[in-house]
Amino acid sequence: MREIIDVEIKASKTALSKCRTDVLAVGHFSDSKGLDKISGELNRKLDGAIELLIKLGDFKGKEGTSTVVYGNDGIRAERVLLVGLGEKKKATVDTVRKAAANAAKRSVTLKVKTLSLALHRAFGGRFDLGATARAMAEGVCFGSYRYDEFVTESENGRLDSLKVELIDSESARIRKLNEGLRRGIIIGQAQSYARTLTNRPGNIINPAALAAEAKKLARGSENLSCMVFDEKQLAAKGMGGVLAVGSGSQNKPRFIVLKYSAADKAAGRRPTVGLVGKAITFDSGGISIKPSAKMEEMKLDKTGGIAVLGTMKAVAELGLSVNVYGIIPSAENLPSGTSYRPGDIITTFSGKTVEVQNTDAEGRMILCDALSYAVKQNCDIIIDIATLTGACRIALGKYMAGLMGNDEKLVKQLQRAAAETGEKVWPMPSGDEYAEEMKSRIADLKNIGGKWGGACTAAAFLRQFVGEKKWAHLDIAGVELFEKATEYTTEGSSGFGVRLLTSYLMNLAK
Ligand code: BES
Ligand code: ZN
Ligand code: ZN
């Protein structure tokens, strides 16, 4: 099977015209009058080709666009790729991330071996150099990503590796750039790892297979350990929620606990964070079965859990100074003679009882056990991430994840991480009114609320299981998937959450 593309990236002091490469990518703002220093210099070497292209209106510098200009004897690059940066006043580090993704995506399609990126001077002053370089590396990983491990007969293959170089004219900046790139590549590759695991279908990844991946990850890292509870241990612990959801499938549920212990003492003075991710390896809806159209998308119902896995990988490789639990309840939700039923009353790990009114509201049934487990492990801060509700997708569309929580500071910190990483979130409520709807007459809670505000009632259900702990919830049902390829990446899993959660933890560890 094919591995994900091997991306190597480093910064070096190289003059534009001396840069020997297959593709030399340079940015251009849509509202810039004339050419900037970098494209101006290239334009002179290319006998005015760039200027002409812009003058003719063939390239306008709009975000998400790019165009190839072929090299000549004046430069060593085979191609110059002009990448649109949009309006200058709207530029953020995410502009750099997206531009790099666009260039990397095109480079893989062109099957080139080397890509050189020149950072537009506008970013040098306005943003932290390290953060900018990090975004660039993340973008390169994002854009070069392909999911083709099961394609055996493709005519449009790709190369196995891409060598990327960030070229800069000032040697004083190289060290800072390389530091940022190093972090960016760790985060970017963790995201690609998450995307591959998520893209694998239900017949390849079931709960036991996911647990094996988590074990493998932990084996490769000194500071990570992994514990897996099988169905017998789940029964012994009284994890009724996970067991109920998993009861319809031959592929039995698992409860995965990763632990990252920072190497330094300073981490002990910081709060311990519990990341909790929903990993339904396939969600058919169970007895409350879903309609068949697009049901295949429900292989992505493990995204939250895998985002936690990817984040743990990044945290370990970055060696962050903060202690983190990665808690991943995993089950397959199928209808059968052994499935849990509508009407069943389940005793969860917390002791609270839940009346099941819809077996398709299974995410909250496994998450409640995991949240209680995080409380029991004494996590000071708990963040869960889940493809929880179609209602969230309807409310926010495909651009932002829903963000709920019981602690203003935590919500703000996640919003900050979202701004840094381009993985956007939008605040939503989950308070008492919503919780009221989740009360059952014959048990403590029921697993669905009324017709309206489904993302909020689902979050209000989860809130009941964190006690007094600081908690936030990310509903990623709308953002986990690209239905179609974009200018920045191919269709399928987006890997949403890895950059966001890692950034949050990096800020906490500072
Ligand atoms: N996994 C789904 C939510 C989902 C929907 C994720 C679309 C991604 C795209 C979840 O388990 C589910 O089925 N939720 C139900 C809840 C309802 C029964 C209260 C839903 O959203 O319809
Ligand atoms: Zn469901
Ligand atoms: Zn689900």
Side-chain angles (χ1 to χ4, degrees):
M1 279 198 314
R2 306 199 70 170
E3 299 279 324
I4 58 171
I5 195 159
D6 183 26
V7 181
E8 203 184 288
I9 180 164
K10 62 172 188 352
S12 69
K13 181 174 181 297
T14 310
L16 275 175
S17 58
K18 300 251 169 64
C19 178
R20 198 182 288 279
T21 183
D22 294 326
V23 176
L24 170 57
V26 301
H28 184 77
F29 287 104
S30 59
D31 53 354
S32 75
K33 295 188 188 66
L35 300 173
D36 73 303
K37 190 164 171 281
I38 291 174
S39 46
E41 185 180 334
L42 287 169
N43 183 56
R44 278 192 298 282
K45 304 270 182 196
L46 293 170
D47 305 323
I50 296 178
E51 210 176 359
L52 190 61
L53 200 74
I54 293 169
K55 207 162 148 192
L56 290 174
D58 295 359
F59 177 72
K60 297 191 175 71
K62 242 186 92 194
E63 211 185 39
T65 65
S66 58
T67 195
V68 176
V69 184
Y70 292 95
N72 65 4
D73 289 347
I75 62 171
R76 305 261 170 90
E78 300 277 354
R79 306 165 187 84
V80 170
L81 185 72
L82 293 174
V83 184
L85 301 174
E87 283 175 60
K88 200 166 186 171
K89 65 170 185 297
K90 287 191 184 162
T92 64
V93 282
D94 201 40
T95 309
V96 176
R97 188 181 288 109
K98 285 172 163 169
N102 184 305
K105 188 184 179 207
R106 286 199 73 158
S107 298
V108 172
T109 306
L110 287 166
K111 293 186 206 167
V112 301
K113 292 198 178 81
T114 54
L115 163 66
S116 300
L117 304 161
L119 183 63
H120 195 291
R121 304 298 289 185
F123 292 98
R126 238 153 110 190
F127 305 105
D128 175 71
L129 209 54
T132 311
R134 172 181 146 200
M136 221 175 211
E138 289 172 357
V140 165
C141 293
F142 201 70
S144 63
Y145 179 80
R146 297 289 187 276
Y147 181 67
D148 52 10
E149 60 181 346
F150 290 104
V151 179
T152 66
E153 295 181 338
S154 172
E155 288 163 20
N156 302 311
R158 57 160 171 90
L159 301 185
D160 293 327
S161 64
L162 181 66
K163 227 176 148 162
V164 187
E165 188 184 40
L166 170 51
I167 63 166
D168 203 90
S169 54
E170 282 174 48
S171 42
R173 298 171 16 132
I174 300 297
R175 201 186 55 85
K176 196 107 198 262
L177 288 171
N178 269 323
E179 243 313 285
L181 291 176
R182 189 188 69 81
R183 287 195 293 271
I185 205 95
I186 288 175
I187 299 167
Q189 282 175 344
Q191 184 157 44
S192 296
Y193 162 81
R195 293 174 80 180
T196 293
L197 287 180
T198 307
N199 279 324
R200 287 183 186 159
N203 64 327
I204 305 295
I205 295 264
N206 56 36
L210 185 62
E213 287 293 341
K215 285 251 179 199
K216 187 168 148 196
L217 180 69
R219 268 200 307 277
S221 167
E222 241 174 56
N223 298 328
L224 275 183
S225 64
C226 179
M227 238 179 355
V228 175
F229 306 143
D230 63 14
E231 70 271 25
K232 285 187 209 86
Q233 290 157 305
L234 286 168
K237 289 193 184 309
M239 292 203 169
V242 184
L243 280 170
V245 175
S247 62
S249 175
Q250 304 259 15
N251 302 313
K252 293 300 169 205
R254 294 288 185 271
F255 193 93
I256 304 162
V257 183
L258 285 151
K259 191 176 174 195
Y260 168 75
S261 312
D264 60 321
K265 288 235 164 61
R269 294 196 294 272
R270 299 191 227 285
T272 296
V273 179
L275 302 177
V276 174
K278 167 181 174 182
I280 296 294
T281 57
F282 185 71
D283 182 12
S284 70
I287 297 292
S288 315
I289 198 163
K290 290 178 180 294
S292 60
K294 295 265 171 137
M295 203 201 267
E296 71 275 10
E297 281 182 3
M298 284 302 131
K299 72 171 185 177
L300 300 178
D301 213 21
K302 55 193 184 294
T303 304
I306 292 174
V308 169
L309 202 57
T311 303
M312 297 304 283
K313 175 174 156 70
V315 166
E317 287 175 18
L318 291 165
L320 296 188
S321 173
V322 58
N323 295 318
V324 188
Y325 280 95
I327 302 167
I328 308 170
S330 183
E332 185 174 37
N333 191 20
L334 291 182
S336 80
T338 56
S339 295
Y340 78 136
R341 322 153 186 75
D344 284 2
I345 296 176
I346 307 298
T347 301
T348 63
F349 184 49
S350 66
K352 286 188 206 287
T353 55
V354 180
E355 180 193 357
V356 177
Q357 290 194 343
N358 190 317
T359 61
D360 196 13
E362 84 298 338
R364 59 201 79 180
M365 298 299 297
I366 66 169
L367 286 169
C368 66
D369 284 351
L371 292 169
S372 309
Y373 183 83
V375 172
K376 230 178 161 180
Q377 296 311 301
N378 255 321
C379 294
D380 304 295
I381 294 170
I382 303 173
I383 304 171
D384 78 73
I385 178 164
T387 47
L388 200 64
T389 66
C392 191
R393 195 193 210 179
I394 289 167
L396 299 179
K398 56 187 179 182
Y399 308 106
M400 296 184 195
L403 170 61
M404 291 80 161
N406 63 7
D407 184 77
E408 218 170 287
K409 185 173 161 202
L410 177 58
V411 166
K412 284 233 165 68
Q413 287 169 328
L414 285 164
Q415 286 173 317
R416 177 180 162 202
E420 288 166 352
T421 59
E423 293 193 325
K424 297 181 181 173
V425 297
W426 198 257
M428 293 173 89
S430 62
D432 292 347
E433 303 92 324
Y434 300 97
E436 198 58 38
E437 283 190 35
M438 303 309 288
K439 286 188 178 152
S440 162
R441 285 192 294 123
I442 57 173
D444 300 329
L445 293 161
K446 57 192 171 85
N447 80 334
I448 58 169
K451 189 169 177 186
W452 313 112
C456 306
T457 49
F461 177 94
L462 298 180
R463 187 195 274 257
Q464 314 298 309
F465 294 87
V466 295
E468 298 299 306
K469 299 288 184 191
K470 293 175 182 139
W471 161 79
H473 160 64
L474 292 159
D475 192 330
I476 57 169
V479 292
E480 104 276 29
L481 153 83
F482 295 111
E483 287 175 284
K484 290 198 199 93
T486 71
E487 303 94 323
Y488 311 110
T489 194
T490 48
E491 71 276 6
S493 166
S494 67
F496 190 103
V498 175
R499 296 203 310 262
L500 177 72
L501 292 172
T502 306
S503 219
Y504 164 78
L505 293 168
M506 283 169 89
N507 293 338
L508 198 68
K510 255 179 214 158

